[in-house]
Amino acid sequence: MEKIGYKKADWINSTNIYEVNLRQYTIEGSFNAFAKELPRLKDMGVETLWFMPITPIAEKNKKGSLGSYYACSDYISINPEFGTLEDFKNLVTLAHAMNFKVVIDWVANHTGWDHVWTKSHPDYYKKEETTGDFKIASGMDDIIELDFNNPDLRKAMIQAMEYWVRECDIDGFRCDLAFWVVLDFWKEARTHLEKIKILLWLAETDPLENPGYMEVFDAMYTWTWMHKTADFYKQQIDFSVLEDVFKNYDTICADHCMPLWFTSNHDENTWNGTEYEKYGEMAILLAVFSFTRNGMPMIYSGQELPNLKRLDFFDKDVIAWDGRNALHGFYKILLNLHSTNKALRAMDPEVITYTLDPEGEKSGITFLRKKEKSEVLVLLNFSNEEKIFTVKSEHLEGTYKNVFGNDELMINKEIKTKIKPWGFSVYEKS
């Protein structure tokens, strides 16, 4: 499904995403406080920073003491909780100087109850048939739905998006609940904004559920994979179901849309639990999958700690940083491998992925990704037992180095190696 007429940012094929929960990141919860974290994130290998909504939060029907990031009261203002517009512009400038890209969350479907438009343009909103009041969005009583049948609303929304590109030089949008908004609006928005800057367009929707949105978006969520892996770990589905799911992503996304792989994000952490609650011992294995399979990998704030608690959504609940960040080195290896090895480029028609089934093993995922002379071999043990993986392929030949160690393997069309329970091995061809 080619994105006819759209241009692709030249940096997105090898990038990664780090989701920033600014409110909970530091005691101050501000742009200026977060700026001090950039050197650490740069060292870890983070390339693209996605900030949850930075716009002010509506007071009417506010949840908790601070309200939801996603109940906006003005699309072209800064949440004073985080600082000033100048603070954000300075943060973007600093991030760019350090070669980060900056993406902001865009909540197009709905606003809070006292958004400035509710007074200046009430016609921008859908109305309840029985009461004539603003329509509540899917039962969430702190937000109300916008009406994308109104051409004036569309124009105003695109102008608001343009404001952040021109004023702050951001590099893309993560579009909240993208599938709740009609597809042709996103086409209109991307067409307009591409005249100003080539951006990353990331949709919170699954290509397996809403494939049409691949026409516009560069990357889309893998919700199906996330849910099925949790079901598998809880022994509610068979391993073959997992294989079908990731192969379906390969087929439908191909070289025109990137699956966004993740084990946690702000919604999952708060409402469904940390990755360790959902996946237990399998959590680290899934992270390795996320960084080596075709697609774009994402880390959520605190996963490098690792964060073992659910963060409050509507109140202050600072991540309990301990200064050690035990998984910093683990993620650094994966982030750098993903960014530097051409075989892991996403949405690249020149990258070939070979599925290499381990002999006699029905709970292993093994694959070789290759572009020109670059190769990455990945062996994943999706079981709670130690396994010996025997893999044969005419494509395996040469010297391969373990990225998580110093050992090297000379492979001549066959590899036989022991993998720990919920374990993995990742080899890069020398």
Side-chain angles (χ1 to χ4, degrees):
M1 191 177 297
E2 185 181 357
K3 295 176 176 61
I4 299 174
Y6 298 133
K7 298 176 182 178
K8 184 179 68 178
D10 58 9
W11 51 270
I12 68 174
N13 299 81
S14 298
T15 200
N16 54 68
I17 301 284
Y18 186 94
E19 182 187 0
V20 181
N21 186 335
L22 198 63
R23 171 184 289 169
Q24 315 300 17
Y25 213 92
T26 61
I27 294 173
E28 301 89 342
S30 67
F31 297 125
N32 291 339
F34 178 77
K36 298 174 185 177
E37 304 293 330
L38 292 181
R40 174 179 65 81
L41 296 175
K42 180 68 177 179
D43 179 74
M44 194 166 74
V46 171
E47 294 190 343
T48 299
L49 301 165
W50 152 32
F51 288 89
M52 292 170 67
I54 58 175
T55 46
I57 294 170
E59 287 294 324
K60 184 177 179 180
N61 296 332
K62 181 174 72 175
K63 291 182 179 291
S65 61
L66 296 174
S68 169
Y69 281 99
Y70 294 86
C72 173
S73 65
D74 185 354
Y75 280 115
I76 54 172
S77 295
I78 288 283
N79 184 347
E81 177 188 344
F82 304 147
T84 65
L85 176 63
E86 200 63 29
D87 292 338
F88 181 64
K89 291 169 73 171
N90 290 338
L91 177 58
V92 175
T93 299
L94 176 60
H96 282 167
M98 298 175 69
N99 293 321
F100 289 102
K101 300 296 183 182
V102 176
V103 169
I104 63 171
D105 216 320
W106 197 257
V107 190
N109 178 73
H110 50 264
T111 74
W113 278 86
D114 53 10
H115 188 282
V116 293
W117 285 348
T118 59
K119 292 182 173 61
S120 61
H121 295 285
D123 56 308
Y124 285 0
Y125 291 84
K126 293 180 179 179
K127 304 298 193 299
E128 296 284 359
E129 292 184 5
T130 54
T131 65
D133 204 352
F134 297 120
K135 184 177 181 180
I136 297 173
S138 295
M140 293 180 278
D141 55 12
D142 62 333
I143 53 177
I144 49 178
E145 290 196 0
L146 290 161
D147 182 5
F148 281 85
N149 289 319
N150 185 330
D152 292 333
L153 174 274
R154 289 179 177 232
K155 182 178 180 180
M157 183 67 72
I158 292 171
Q159 287 176 341
M161 297 175 80
E162 179 180 336
Y163 170 85
W164 294 101
V165 179
R166 290 193 183 277
E167 188 71 23
C168 300
D169 195 26
I170 63 162
D171 302 293
F173 293 99
R174 177 268 184 187
C175 299
D176 181 68
L177 293 169
F179 68 106
W180 280 14
V181 179
V182 290
L183 178 59
D184 62 350
F185 166 75
W186 295 120
K187 292 180 179 179
E188 185 179 346
R190 180 161 183 170
T191 299
H192 177 84
L193 293 172
E194 270 192 2
K195 298 173 185 176
I196 304 166
K197 186 174 182 178
I198 308 304
L199 305 167
L200 167 65
W201 291 81
L202 168 61
E204 187 194 13
T205 189
D206 193 314
L208 300 186
E209 298 171 359
N210 295 289
Y213 284 73
M214 291 192 296
E215 292 181 41
V216 176
F217 289 96
D218 299 307
M220 297 170 68
Y221 274 49
T222 53
W223 286 121
T224 304
W225 172 254
M226 186 205 67
H227 292 305
K228 293 300 183 184
T229 47
D231 291 342
F232 169 75
Y233 188 74
K234 297 169 186 174
Q235 300 182 332
Q236 295 174 352
I237 62 171
D238 186 74
F239 178 72
S240 62
V241 177
L242 285 194
E243 290 185 298
D244 290 342
V245 171
F246 78 76
K247 289 176 181 177
N248 285 341
Y249 282 114
D250 286 347
T251 300
I252 195 167
C253 292
D255 59 3
H256 44 257
C257 182
M258 289 178 273
L260 181 78
W261 304 107
F262 56 94
T263 57
S264 186
N265 60 33
H266 63 272
D267 282 320
E268 283 302 303
N269 170 274
T270 298
W271 310 117
N272 296 325
T274 71
E275 62 269 38
Y276 302 100
E277 288 181 72
K278 295 192 303 177
Y279 304 126
E281 298 172 278
M282 193 174 71
I284 296 299
L285 173 68
L286 289 177
V288 174
F289 176 93
S290 298
F291 279 85
T292 54
R293 198 69 188 178
N294 181 40
M296 183 181 292
M298 186 181 80
I299 303 173
Y300 177 49
S301 298
Q303 284 195 273
E304 67 270 39
L305 183 56
N307 173 44
L308 301 178
K309 71 171 182 175
R310 301 187 185 197
L311 300 173
D312 287 343
F313 207 83
F314 308 117
D315 301 283
K316 190 70 175 177
D317 186 15
V318 182
I319 297 168
W321 300 106
D322 61 7
R324 295 190 297 271
N325 298 326
L327 292 181
H328 178 99
F330 167 76
Y331 280 116
K332 183 174 182 176
I333 289 170
L334 290 174
L335 286 160
N336 288 329
L337 180 69
H338 183 268
S339 297
T340 61
N341 193 298
K342 292 188 293 185
L344 297 185
R345 282 173 57 84
M347 209 162 65
D348 186 337
E350 296 181 5
V351 173
I352 303 172
T353 300
Y354 299 100
T355 299
L356 311 173
D357 294 323
E359 291 186 353
E361 290 300 334
K362 296 183 178 180
S363 56
I365 296 176
T366 304
F367 52 89
L368 176 71
R369 302 193 66 205
K370 182 175 183 178
K371 179 175 180 177
E372 299 166 354
K373 294 183 179 181
S374 299
E375 296 183 23
V376 175
L377 172 65
V378 183
L379 303 98
L380 307 170
N381 181 8
F382 279 77
S383 81
N384 59 2
E385 299 177 358
E386 186 172 81
K387 299 284 187 178
I388 295 177
F389 278 34
T390 301
V391 179
K392 298 179 181 179
S393 172
E394 61 180 327
H395 303 293
L396 286 172
E397 189 165 8
T399 302
Y400 296 78
K401 182 181 178 180
N402 184 351
V403 301
F404 289 100
N406 295 317
D407 57 304
E408 289 187 340
L409 292 178
M410 289 291 296
I411 304 177
N412 183 15
K413 298 181 175 53
E414 180 178 350
I415 177 175
K416 189 173 185 179
T417 186
K418 188 181 295 184
I419 308 290
K420 295 178 180 179
W422 307 114
F424 54 87
S425 288
V426 180
Y427 291 93
E428 186 175 23
K429 190 170 185 178
S430 299

